Amino acid sequence: MAEGRDPRFDPLFQPIRLGPVTAPNRFYQVPHCTGMGHALPHTLAAMREVKAEGGWGVVNSEYCSIHPTSDDAPFPFAALWDAGDVRNMARMAQAVHRHGALAGVELWHGGQRSSNLHSRAPSLGPESLPGHYAPWQCQRMDREDIRALRRWHRAAALRAREADFDIVYVYAGHTYLIAQFLDPATNRRDDEYGGSAENRARLLMELVEDTREAIGDRCAIATRIEVTDEDGGGREARDALLARLAPLVDLFDVTIPDYSQEMGTSRFVREASLESEIAHVRALVGKPVVSVGRFTSPETMLSQLRRGIVDLIGAARPSIADPFLPTKIREGRLDDIRECIGCNICYAHDAMGVPIRCTQNPTMGEEWRRGWHPERVSRVPRARARDKVLVVGAGPAGLEAALTLGRRGVPVLLAEAEARPGGRINREAALPGLAEWGRVRDWRLHQIGKLPNVEIFPASRMTAQDCLATGARHVILATGSRWRRDGRGLSSPAPIPSFDDPRVLTPDEVMAGRRGPGPWVIFDDEGYYMATVLTELLAGEGQGVTLVASAGRVGHWMEHTVDQERSQARLIDLGVEIVVNHRVEALVPEGARLACVFTGRNRDIACGTLLPVTSRQPEDGLWQELQGADLASLQRIGDCRAPGIIAQAVFDGHRAARAFGGAEPPVRRERVVVRPDRAARRA
Ligand code: ADP
Ligand code: SF4
């Protein structure tokens, strides 16, 4: 037992046998997307390595395509199509092995869901149905196509073994090809691969048998599978299938079809939410079971093991927010765990085809290109009083900058105007469903509390004079932003004169408790969560609210964070009237004047109070005033530089602190560079 560990947590550190391999502990990073995949193998390997270093006993890849007929472009999936991919994926496996962890790979065929935008291969499916991303259908697989698929899958499994993976998945979930065969809604075939539940499962059984036969002596065979059909039915047939699979499978990674629950934001879904739905599987299969639940509490993890719900604690987001979560439990440093806040900013970026990042962990995705490590920063050599840094503003950016500078050994004064540090977190974590966002503030304040060289001065609104009077030669401004009252935003880049009216309240004023007469009109021109949570707040207070969105859905960007639909459904249930594809063009004596975004046609609706959620004004007054001041360095970070998401403010604070005391190092780029063209040089 490592020093400091509470022996109660010992079960989390017991090795477990998975067929021919042994996981060193119960911390299991399930396959999760990264936005890196086949395109950024160095970036990917470095990121996965940090998880293994942090103590995750198993580290898996993301969905890994077996063949060009499964191409998810523009999203950078992983691939094992050829020898080049073997080399790239082997880089990840090696990196994971360096720390004694097992490496897993999730072999994947997207079936009708892969539009094959890049490869231009026809998509394949049990039947010819539309794909998700393009207005064309897939090819119904005939027997020869199925035989070919089995060959591709087997070949990919052999390549996975060659790349030195220890666990190889047959991926039967998340509406991809095998799930399309399993599901009675998508599979209406009348041959031996359709019809009865047994027939629909034939392809999965064959692929599992093929994989076992090809590599089962060396690699554990895992399957990721849902416990019901897509519509939530078919549980008995699934139970029978799981039991039939049990002799052939070494590890069951089980989940449910509702992705907005499995991958739910903390606004709608709590920790361990799958438990009641997957708890029966372990007894059914008699093989090791893993499942997820955004586990960040060691107590919950332990309880899952003790009660026999799972054998391994599955995690994607908790391992992103804190790659060193297992180590911190092992060393008895529970208060150091940087808990995921359930915002899904990680997933949102993968869903936009770029590398993941994290609100809580600013180093996520930056391990290779910036060389950032989540637990280590370099000390500033011989930091002395003259290097003292004044950070103004204790929101996410200021807190992160102060913490990271403090860890680098720099003396820091952190001045905050409000009595309570936290900035926007204080306002927003009080909104419906967002309480967990408070972890951004609380974790940083707690960590700062351990640093004798960082002093916090609350209730200290700083003027330029005050800043200079501190004697700090370096000033970092993290003064945030305020929501605009004048309607400027995407729909109206210019201020809207009629919004200069006592009927207008800003989001900041409403969050501070101000209320106006009803009916309320809330204008969502920003597209993220703010308008929807404020609507939920006001509707919950019994106010009559009309939510007007300039996009086709309210909070449309939340489609990336997987909570747009739940959000809109909640507002509908609360009786909110929703008007989409309209902008609020003006306040008129009778109310708010709306304009259709397509035709420009106007209509007026009653409005006692207008709440425009359009854009924010950087609080950069100090920045302007301190220009030309006698300082060694002055910089602005976070929202006062460019108002954005909390993740960006944390990142900017971290970046500034890492760069302190020297030039910002260049950011490495991972790309193909062509060889010099000899013929052209001769010409
Ligand atoms: P960010 O997301 O960039 O961290 P926030 O708006 O969350 O920005 O936080 C900015 C913080 O800066 C707020 O807590 C605010 O009270 C504080 N602040 C703004 N101006 C001053 C000032 N002149 N002196 C001290 N604190 C300030
Ligand atoms: Fe958790 Fe948000 Fe980080 Fe994703 S981005 S791991 S949801 S804190």
Side-chain angles (χ1 to χ4, degrees), residues 214-405:
I215 58 167
D217 57 330
R218 239 200 49 213
C219 306
I221 311 298
T223 188
R224 201 179 211 183
I225 190 164
E226 278 120 14
V227 292
T228 66
D229 293 334
E230 207 33 40
D231 64 2
R235 164 77 197 270
E236 277 180 23
R238 289 280 171 145
D239 284 359
L241 171 60
L242 291 171
R244 280 176 63 210
L245 281 167
L248 297 165
V249 167
D250 300 311
L251 172 65
F252 284 84
D253 180 343
V254 287
T255 186
I256 57 164
D258 182 353
Y259 202 57
S260 76
Q261 182 180 341
E262 181 197 334
M263 186 65 202
T265 55
S266 58
R267 185 174 166 193
F268 296 105
V269 179
R270 301 269 86 86
E271 186 181 33
S273 83
L274 303 194
E275 179 177 321
S276 61
E277 285 154 284
I278 58 97
H280 63 290
V281 176
R282 199 163 167 268
L284 195 66
V285 297
K287 287 284 180 76
V289 169
V290 62
S291 189
V292 293
R294 208 164 55 76
F295 299 110
T296 57
S297 150
E299 299 290 348
T300 312
M301 298 177 198
L302 188 63
S303 152
Q304 293 263 319
L305 286 193
R306 281 208 187 292
R307 291 180 296 118
I309 309 297
V310 291
D311 300 280
L312 294 123
I313 305 299
R317 289 171 290 176
S319 74
I320 293 170
D322 196 342
F324 276 64
L325 187 152
T327 296
K328 290 172 184 177
I329 300 176
R330 184 163 53 78
E331 295 177 351
R333 296 193 288 127
L334 304 193
D335 64 322
D336 287 339
I337 295 173
R338 193 170 41 224
E339 290 180 285
C340 165
I341 68 165
C343 61
N344 282 2
I345 281 299
C346 46
Y347 185 78
H349 285 79
D350 161 67
M352 291 187 287
V354 294
I356 54 170
R357 59 213 59 189
C358 173
T359 302
Q360 278 284 60
N361 173 11
T363 67
M364 177 49 51
E366 306 295 343
E367 299 83 357
W368 183 81
R369 69 172 177 175
R370 285 190 160 86
W372 288 0
H373 188 278
E375 300 298 312
R376 288 194 291 274
V377 284
S378 64
R379 304 278 300 178
V380 173
R382 295 178 297 283
R384 287 191 295 263
R386 70 179 166 78
D387 292 317
K388 187 165 66 182
V389 178
L390 169 67
V391 178
V392 183
L399 286 172
E400 177 65 27
L403 172 61
T404 307
L405 282 167

Side-chain angles (χ1 to χ4, degrees), residues 412-617:
V412 180
L413 309 176
L414 175 57
E416 165 54 50
E418 303 288 329
R420 188 177 179 214
R424 64 184 286 189
I425 298 293
N426 293 343
R427 298 190 286 277
E428 296 182 25
L431 294 171
L434 301 188
E436 282 190 30
W437 294 28
R439 293 172 174 178
V440 172
R441 169 198 60 214
D442 298 342
W443 183 81
R444 286 174 176 76
L445 279 174
H446 182 68
Q447 298 298 317
I448 286 174
K450 297 184 181 193
L451 296 170
N453 50 330
V454 181
E455 276 183 280
I456 304 185
F457 297 88
S460 305
R461 179 168 292 282
M462 305 293 281
T463 62
Q465 284 309 322
D466 296 334
C467 293
L468 297 174
T470 63
R473 303 281 301 135
H474 302 273
V475 176
I476 296 179
L477 299 173
T479 46
S481 62
R482 290 280 148 188
W483 285 94
R484 289 189 169 118
R485 181 186 302 279
D486 60 10
R488 294 184 81 181
L490 272 174
S491 291
S492 175
I496 300 173
S498 61
F499 281 18
D500 186 9
D501 186 298
R503 285 174 291 173
V504 175
L505 287 183
T506 69
D508 293 313
E509 289 167 333
V510 171
M511 285 188 277
R514 278 194 63 187
R515 297 291 181 268
W520 286 69
V521 174
I522 301 181
F523 178 34
D524 178 17
D525 195 39
E526 185 222 21
Y528 195 17
Y529 57 89
M530 184 53 76
T532 65
V533 283
L534 289 176
T535 304
E536 192 177 331
L537 173 76
L538 292 164
E541 290 174 4
Q543 311 274 4
V545 185
T546 300
L547 177 55
V548 180
S550 50
R553 291 174 163 213
V554 300
H556 64 94
W557 201 80
M558 287 190 289
E559 285 179 33
H560 298 305
T561 51
V562 210
D563 53 357
Q564 193 284 327
E565 287 180 13
R566 283 192 182 228
S567 177
Q568 191 145 351
R570 176 161 294 176
L571 298 185
I572 293 168
D573 289 344
L574 282 168
V576 172
E577 186 163 346
I578 293 174
V579 180
V580 295
N581 293 318
H582 280 73
R583 56 179 179 265
V584 179
E585 204 172 58
L587 268 177
V588 292
E590 303 75 37
R593 176 152 298 163
L594 312 189
C596 169
V597 297
F598 303 114
T599 65
R601 230 167 267 141
N602 288 130
R603 73 190 237 223
D604 294 346
I605 60 171
C607 175
T609 303
L610 173 66
L611 172 53
V613 184
T614 57
S615 71
R616 286 175 282 158
Q617 178 68 33

Side-chain angles (χ1 to χ4, degrees), residues 89-135:
M89 291 299 285
R91 183 60 66 98
M92 171 199 149
Q94 277 161 12
V96 168
H97 287 158
R98 268 199 284 280
H99 303 277
L102 298 181
V105 61
E106 184 183 42
L107 298 185
W108 162 75
H109 198 291
Q112 77 191 47
R113 276 194 64 187
S114 302
S115 297
N116 299 343
L117 292 172
H118 193 267
S119 72
R120 300 188 71 176
S123 308
L124 299 170
E127 300 204 58
S128 185
L129 285 167
H132 280 218
Y133 301 112

